[in-house]
Amino acid sequence: MKILVTGTTGYIGKRLIPFLLEAGHELVCCVRDLNRVPEEFKDLESLTFIEIDFLVYSSAVQIPKDIDVAYYLMHSMSASADFEKQELACAYNFIDYVRGTSLQQVIYLSGIVNEEVLSKHLRSRKQVEQVLSTGTYALTAFRAGIIVGSGSASFEIIRDLVEKLPVMVTPKWLNTKTQPIAIRDVLSYLSKAAGNKQLYNNNYDIYGPEVLTYKKMLLIFAEVRGLKRYILTLPVMTPKLSSYWLYFVTSTTFKLAASLVDSMKIAIVGRPNNLSEILNVHPITYREAVEKAFQKIEEDAILSSWKDSIVSGRFSEKISKYITIPKYGCFKDIKFRKVTNEEEVLNRIWALGGQTGWYYGDFLWKARGFLDKMFGGIGLRRGRTHISKLQPGDALDFWRVLFANKKEKRLLLYAEMKLPGEAWLEFRIEKGKLWQRAVFRPKGLWGRLYWYSVLPFHYFIFNGMIDSLAGKE
């Protein structure tokens, strides 16, 4: 079959594509920015990419007429006031784009919405499903509970809490019931549903075999990690305090923390159905899902992470808009060193951040991350998805990868920390020399004062970093 995939660079999309390719399907993948096409998917014969921003309708967009199935995997965890309108706009534009094609089935991944009172995000998911059901195709909606897998938002937040806090004083919503499902089972349901007429014009809750509280999930996670943890739940903790609690302890942004708290107050328990028998999928337990997630982490085989989503940082536009570093009105710190083994230097550059650190003055980088967190920024806790791989769009501590090409020997990062201006950090190797360029475009007087205030720290940090990268320690 010929399948259209939306949300290609998202957490689910990047993991679903290999399943569909293995099943022998031809894929047409939609991306907002062609610069974010995953490296592992380039040059595959059965896979093509088209650039579409579903938020803005354009008559110039041409969806192939001969598609059979489409996956609708676009979601927003933004806390912006108009996110519900944005999600509805995407759904309406999608319907317009596929009108006139041979599309037979749309498969939509949503959330479990069985309670009368829903959070804003779950309500939005339900509204999108209602809009998608008005198309000229058959809709199959899968409503998932908490998705557990390496790199998922829920997994990483629980991991942060369990591994950092021996004793937790937690909000009362930790006693809310939920029915988590492993990412591998979500992907099995999605991939096996393509073209299955038994599932046309129907919706199904998908979930694991256990109903657990969030507190129990934390304790099971701790057992898997061999840790003893104590949890005390308070009867009173406002949503705002709960959001701040998540924000300061975990790697999440405050916007995402607020969205999660809003949703975690709602019980997420699925309705019984016969989907497992229809598709021959038998979900594993939460404990097994956590164990398998850590196997992937230990193998450095994490295919996608919520942290690489654009919504986890400052971006609201294509990353390609920021690739050209401005020439005027900027402060610059440019250094170079001669190198003898370019491959070794490139490997060091590609390992920057995360567990490796920044090769010099890590305590200063951590202090800067702490200050950023205190002022409402993303801090340094996002880390990176892979130890040695980088591609455009990846999160890298409080930077975003704009350009990463080992053949061209160039890496370009854009700062997502709170700044009175914009900042770029570039590494490139030319003619036996490693060039390191930091560029800052200030915004007003505060931007200029900021640059001069950090200049003494830059002298030590940037000199130490390039020396270490060049192997001149």
Side-chain angles (χ1 to χ4, degrees):
M1 288 183 289
K2 192 167 187 176
I3 296 178
L4 184 76
V5 180
T6 68
T8 299
T9 58
Y11 178 74
I12 299 294
K14 285 180 74 173
R15 293 177 180 237
L16 179 61
I17 287 172
F19 275 69
L20 299 177
L21 290 174
E22 188 175 345
H25 300 300
E26 180 185 353
L27 306 185
V28 179
C29 297
C30 304
V31 292
R32 284 183 66 190
D33 189 343
L34 287 172
N35 287 288
R36 286 205 66 194
V37 172
E39 195 68 33
E40 62 269 28
F41 297 150
K42 290 180 179 178
D43 304 322
L44 294 179
E45 290 184 5
S46 54
L47 196 159
T48 58
F49 290 89
I50 53 177
E51 189 171 85
I52 303 178
D53 184 350
F54 283 93
L55 276 173
V56 183
Y57 182 79
S58 170
S59 59
V61 171
Q62 295 294 322
I63 299 287
K65 299 294 183 183
D66 57 345
I67 55 172
D68 303 300
V69 175
Y71 283 90
Y72 192 94
L73 304 174
M74 294 180 288
H75 296 306
S76 170
M77 283 302 285
S78 168
S80 62
D82 60 348
F83 84 90
E84 289 178 273
K85 291 182 180 179
Q86 291 177 349
E87 291 206 325
L88 288 176
C90 282
Y92 281 118
N93 288 335
F94 171 83
I95 291 175
D96 285 341
Y97 283 140
V98 299
R99 188 176 287 116
T101 69
S102 57
L103 180 62
Q104 298 297 308
Q105 180 193 28
V106 170
I107 301 170
Y108 172 51
L109 180 62
S110 181
I112 292 177
V113 287
N114 297 329
E115 297 296 304
E116 290 186 11
V117 179
L118 298 173
S119 67
K120 290 181 179 179
H121 283 84
L122 287 175
R123 185 173 67 241
S124 180
R125 301 287 189 269
K126 190 173 183 179
Q127 291 171 346
V128 168
E129 182 179 329
Q130 291 169 345
V131 171
L132 291 175
S133 68
T134 65
T136 57
Y137 43 75
L139 178 66
T140 301
F142 290 139
R143 300 170 176 176
I146 299 296
I147 297 176
V148 182
S150 57
S152 73
S154 55
F155 178 88
E156 295 299 338
I157 287 171
I158 291 173
R159 182 183 181 185
D160 279 342
L161 293 173
V162 169
E163 297 192 353
K164 292 176 182 177
L165 302 176
V167 179
M168 298 179 225
V169 180
T170 64
K172 60 182 180 181
W173 50 254
L174 246 69
N175 291 319
T176 302
K177 292 181 178 179
T178 185
Q179 207 161 358
I181 180 170
I183 179 62
R184 57 178 286 171
D185 296 322
V186 174
L187 297 173
S188 293
Y189 279 127
L190 288 171
S191 59
K192 290 184 177 183
N196 190 319
K197 293 184 179 180
Q198 285 183 268
L199 310 182
Y200 281 15
N201 295 315
N202 212 336
N203 60 71
Y204 300 88
D205 291 349
I206 56 175
Y207 43 79
E210 309 150 296
V211 176
L212 304 170
T213 63
Y214 289 105
K215 179 178 179 179
K216 185 63 176 177
M217 288 174 66
L218 287 168
L219 292 173
I220 292 175
F221 196 104
E223 289 176 11
V224 172
R225 299 297 287 152
L227 301 169
K228 187 69 174 176
R229 293 296 181 253
Y230 301 91
I231 302 175
L232 173 66
T233 54
L234 295 180
V236 178
M237 187 179 278
T238 67
K240 194 165 187 177
L241 283 175
S242 297
S243 301
Y244 277 116
W245 179 73
L246 273 184
Y247 170 64
F248 283 112
V249 176
T250 72
S251 57
T252 184
T253 64
F254 182 76
K255 286 183 178 181
L256 182 55
S259 300
L260 290 171
V261 168
D262 190 35
S263 295
M264 286 175 172
K265 294 181 294 182
I266 311 297
I268 303 177
V269 179
R271 301 162 298 160
N273 58 59
N274 63 341
L275 188 62
S276 291
E277 286 69 36
I278 294 173
L279 298 181
N280 192 28
V281 177
H282 303 285
I284 61 176
T285 65
Y286 172 69
R287 182 185 295 272
E288 290 174 301
V290 173
E291 290 172 346
K292 289 185 180 299
F294 274 102
Q295 288 175 11
K296 294 293 184 183
I297 292 170
E298 290 167 5
E299 295 167 3
D300 191 26
I302 304 175
L303 295 178
S304 62
S305 171
W306 76 272
K307 298 174 186 178
D308 294 332
S309 168
I310 293 299
V311 77
S312 77
R314 289 176 55 185
F315 279 89
S316 59
E317 301 175 273
K318 296 180 181 180
I319 63 170
S320 55
K321 180 180 177 181
Y322 300 86
I323 285 179
T324 302
I325 302 175
K327 295 181 179 179
Y328 306 105
C330 298
F331 294 109
K332 300 175 183 178
D333 185 306
I334 301 174
K335 304 183 187 304
F336 73 88
R337 299 288 188 273
K338 291 183 179 180
V339 296
T340 53
N341 191 323
E342 294 187 358
E343 185 177 352
E344 282 187 7
V345 175
L346 277 174
N347 288 337
R348 291 191 196 106
I349 293 171
W350 252 249
L352 275 167
Q355 297 177 1
T356 304
W358 293 84
Y359 294 107
Y360 185 86
D362 271 356
F363 70 98
L364 292 173
W365 288 95
K366 290 177 181 177
R368 181 63 181 88
F370 176 76
L371 286 174
D372 190 54
K373 200 81 171 176
M374 292 300 294
F375 282 93
I378 57 176
L380 205 65
R381 294 181 186 154
R382 285 190 310 186
R384 52 183 291 161
T385 301
H386 299 280
I387 295 175
S388 58
K389 297 178 182 178
L390 289 174
Q391 55 189 4
D394 283 0
L396 182 59
D397 291 341
F398 46 47
W399 301 89
R400 179 74 63 173
V401 178
L402 296 182
F403 186 88
N405 190 312
K406 272 194 168 182
K407 291 181 180 179
E408 294 186 20
K409 304 175 185 178
R410 180 176 179 237
L411 174 67
L412 178 62
L413 310 176
Y414 180 83
E416 290 194 290
M417 71 281 275
K418 290 277 187 178
L419 288 172
E422 296 176 288
W424 290 260
L425 183 59
E426 181 187 37
F427 303 93
R428 58 187 170 86
I429 297 176
E430 286 183 357
K431 299 178 180 179
K433 291 181 181 178
L434 167 63
W435 291 87
Q436 175 183 283
R437 179 166 61 143
V439 178
F440 180 69
R441 179 161 62 183
K443 186 176 182 180
L445 177 62
W446 286 112
R448 288 162 173 78
L449 291 175
Y450 169 81
W451 175 261
Y452 288 114
S453 69
V454 298
L455 207 53
F457 300 102
H458 282 180
Y459 175 81
F460 294 103
I461 290 173
F462 288 149
N463 271 304
M465 183 164 61
I466 193 170
D467 283 342
S468 294
L469 289 172
K472 299 182 182 300
E473 299 177 90

